[in-house]
Amino acid sequence: MITDEVRRVLSLAVDAYRDQPRAAHFLRGQLDRLDSPLRVAIAGRVKAGKSTLLNALVGDSLAPTDAGECTRVVTWYQDGRSPRVVLHPVAGSPVSLPVVRRDGALSMDLGGAAVNRLVVDWPSQSLRHTTLIDTPGIASLTAENSARAVRFLTPDDETPTEADAVVYLMKHLHSADASFLESFRDQGVARAAAVNTVAVISRADEIAGGRVDAMISARAIAARYRSAPELHGLAQNVIAVAGLVAMAGRTLTQAEFVALSALAAEPRESLESSLLSADRFTSGSQERTALLRRFGVFGIRLAVTLIRQGVRSQAALADELVTRSGLRDLQRVLQTQFSERRDLLKARSALLALDRVVRTSGGGRLAGEVERILAGTHEFTELRLLSALRSGVVALPRPMVAEAERLLGEEGIAPATRLGLAPDAVAAEVRQTAFAALRRWQAHAENPMLGRKSADACRVLVRTCEGLLTRGR
């Protein structure tokens, strides 16, 4: 198991650097990191909707979405027994802040302090195995705010990033987005693909002018971006999400459902006419102003359409909004690419941290151990191939692609899932199916009609099938 292998190498490193207290302390921290929740950073340009998406993932209005001072610092949201906010200053001891919520979101007075980070403990099932890290906007109007995010995500050679994975938000593919993803990507042998980055077209509801079919257009754009040359090797996947609608769906109240039902009862032409501008729709109504702030024009149009089509309860509307927002698509990708691979990604982070130490101080044998694990671990090879297949960097004949992506863990990493079987498939069925897949991909690998890259991909899948066959015994 890779975690055991990495733990062994880190223990050797701690012993090797016992005469260098700072390095030894840092490496012990990497050992502790192996037993901690996965750390996923939410990043993107200013106004990309990072805090809104974080709230939607947690299912609570925690992260402030205004331009207050707490949105300008790196903020960690982690599971805790009780709510707590701790400020970690650049200099000095941590300070506990009062837990105050305004309009649902946390309100934190930093008192003008120079802040390294904020750490928010919050009882949440969503945070049980994953710590979410909200970062300031990249390319912010304030250079200092932008620099905080860049330093956290792409630090210098002496201090590797503390994030195991990144969800990068963009309203559209801007050159600055590609430049950042390029700088975030780990360089060197066996690290040529961004196996720990997912890109999100955020605020997807604003595409197509907020029409009710906006998400159809957004998903088509996301599909096009997956094979865009600018993103080759920079993101594992691209997903379209309407964060505002997702958040509204996860926190929908009965009063909001009643108000939306009243809108659905209005004549279609009258309501559509009023939605042409914010001023015309709100027209001095506090209730409508609150709905517009919570749902946006697209969210209101979608909710009204669903109610007119027969959605009759708050719970049913909430479920439909979350599904149609694209949040479930993102959650599924985060589950299969990040959560199910949390041990692999944490081990990778620890190895890259150790690599920084040995490269700056001359690690000799330890450097070779790190490179051996990074280059030789098949799970890393699988992730790189999965990314290459999605982006079109590696091409297989169309009938083979779906099975290849599934075997590589597109839908989950359990053996039965990889083989397209039911989750409760018996061991004999798993072995039989794995053996058939092995023979099939061995034949593909020897097909003289395939190019070198395609044949190499088939050989990776042969090794995957061998591993599934071994695990099924």
Side-chain angles (χ1 to χ4, degrees), residues 30-193:
Q30 299 307 310
L31 274 170
D32 294 338
R33 184 170 177 172
L34 293 175
D35 299 316
S36 302
L38 186 73
R39 301 168 179 179
V40 177
I42 313 293
R45 291 163 61 84
V46 66
K47 297 291 186 182
K50 298 181 297 298
S51 298
T52 299
L53 182 63
L54 186 147
N55 287 336
L57 289 169
V58 176
D60 201 346
S61 301
L62 291 181
T65 56
D66 58 15
E69 61 178 349
C70 49
T71 65
R72 303 170 191 167
V73 301
V74 176
T75 306
W76 296 50
Y77 294 88
Q78 59 190 30
D79 183 46
R81 293 185 176 180
S82 59
R84 186 177 65 155
V85 179
V86 178
L87 182 154
H88 293 256
V90 173
S93 302
V95 178
S96 293
L97 300 180
V99 179
V100 179
R101 301 185 78 168
R102 291 195 177 94
D103 296 325
L106 287 171
S107 177
M108 294 168 275
D109 183 2
L110 307 187
V115 181
N116 180 33
R117 71 183 61 182
L118 288 169
V119 178
V120 177
D121 288 358
W122 202 263
S124 170
Q125 182 66 35
S126 300
L127 297 172
R128 192 66 45 82
H129 300 293
T130 303
T131 294
L132 295 176
I133 306 169
D134 198 7
T135 63
I138 296 164
S140 171
L141 293 176
T142 304
E144 181 183 355
N145 295 341
S146 180
R148 287 193 184 104
V150 173
R151 281 196 302 269
F152 177 78
L153 294 163
T154 58
D156 57 36
D157 284 344
E158 295 183 3
T159 310
T161 179
E162 295 182 78
D164 299 309
V166 171
V167 176
Y168 187 83
L169 277 60
M170 55 189 183
K171 288 187 276 188
H172 54 82
L173 183 54
H174 190 279
S175 59
D177 299 313
S179 296
F180 169 79
L181 289 170
E182 178 66 38
S183 67
F184 176 74
R185 182 177 65 177
D186 296 302
Q187 302 298 318
V189 177
R191 300 166 226 166

Side-chain angles (χ1 to χ4, degrees), residues 341 382-383 385-390 394-412 417-419 437 440-441 444 454 457-462 464-465 468:
R341 291 179 165 95
E382 287 183 329
L383 280 176
L385 177 56
L386 182 58
S387 177
L389 287 172
R390 286 200 190 108
V394 173
L396 290 174
R398 187 177 296 275
M400 297 162 56
V401 172
E403 183 186 11
E405 292 184 346
R406 190 184 67 244
L407 283 169
L408 293 170
E410 165 78 16
E411 300 170 13
T417 302
R418 288 183 186 241
L419 293 165
R440 192 161 51 248
W441 285 98
H444 291 326
S454 299
C458 292
R459 281 187 275 274
V460 170
L461 287 153
V462 166
T464 293
C465 293
L468 294 174

